[in-house]
Amino acid sequence: MSVVVMMGVSGIGKTTIGRRLAEALGYGYAEGDSYHPVANVEKMRSGTPLEDADRWPWLAAMAADIDRWLTDGTGMVLACSALKRAYRDVLIGARSGVHLVQLTGEESLIRSRIEARRDHYMPPALLLSQLATLEPPTADERPIVVDVRSEPDICVSAICRSLNGARR
């Protein structure tokens, strides 16, 4: 079993694609947003971007669960922005069995998705700060990169094919 970290900016489709990927793989699913303390959620809801100091405890909690899942042999998909290399180093680092999937898309598409959402704390105004913070994965991180212009099921199929190739 392995862990798949789905990364990308808010509104890119981590939850939608991540849940469908978990179902296709027969894995569990974890939402990175649920690891945020209330103070982080309120900060984002007010339109204030998080700082690194806000993120370290959040990342540490997810990393602890990743370690537990790997130890227990539990296949999981974790949706988490993981915008910076330093964040991905906390989540993935040298852990074997953890795969990185980066979802990409045009700003206009992502913005339209965020604007269409209801009952989510992330306002569209924070998209630009997330895009500015984003450090795309480098080749040594071995990301599976998927453009979200395709339908979610097509994205899931592409990820599954790549994961199957990575396991060989």
Side-chain angles (χ1 to χ4, degrees):
M1 291 288 178
S2 62
V3 174
V4 178
V5 175
M6 305 281 300
M7 69 156 290
V9 297
S10 182
I12 196 83
K14 295 181 300 289
T15 299
T16 300
I17 294 169
R19 284 183 172 150
R20 290 182 188 191
L21 178 64
E23 184 178 321
L25 296 171
Y27 284 11
Y29 174 80
E31 181 61 55
D33 287 346
S34 69
Y35 289 81
H36 276 298
V38 172
N40 282 10
V41 173
E42 291 307 315
K43 194 172 187 178
M44 290 182 281
R45 181 174 280 130
S46 74
T48 304
L50 296 180
E51 298 173 10
D52 283 351
D54 300 315
R55 289 188 177 97
W56 297 126
W58 171 66
L59 292 161
M62 288 184 288
D65 274 356
I66 289 170
D67 287 336
R68 183 175 50 82
W69 298 328
L70 291 170
T71 298
D72 294 347
T74 304
M76 290 294 291
V77 173
L78 171 65
C80 171
S81 55
L83 298 176
K84 290 185 179 180
R85 173 71 184 250
Y87 307 160
R88 296 187 297 273
D89 286 346
V90 171
L91 295 172
I92 300 169
R95 292 174 179 92
S96 61
V98 181
H99 304 277
L100 179 64
V101 174
Q102 180 194 18
L103 300 179
T104 64
E106 295 179 8
E107 179 188 340
S108 59
L109 172 64
I110 301 164
R111 182 172 301 284
S112 69
R113 289 178 176 182
I114 292 173
E115 289 170 348
R117 288 201 272 195
R118 301 293 174 249
D119 302 322
H120 196 279
Y121 60 82
M122 181 66 85
L126 287 182
L127 176 60
L128 289 179
S129 73
Q130 286 211 330
L131 290 169
T133 301
L134 176 63
E135 297 172 359
T138 58
D140 67 306
E141 292 180 85
R142 299 181 320 278
I144 297 168
V145 180
V146 177
D147 188 314
V148 298
R149 285 180 289 186
S150 299
E151 291 298 315
D153 289 336
I154 293 171
C155 294
V156 168
S157 294
I159 295 166
C160 287
R161 282 192 305 277
S162 293
L163 286 171
N164 286 334
R167 292 181 184 138
R168 290 185 182 147

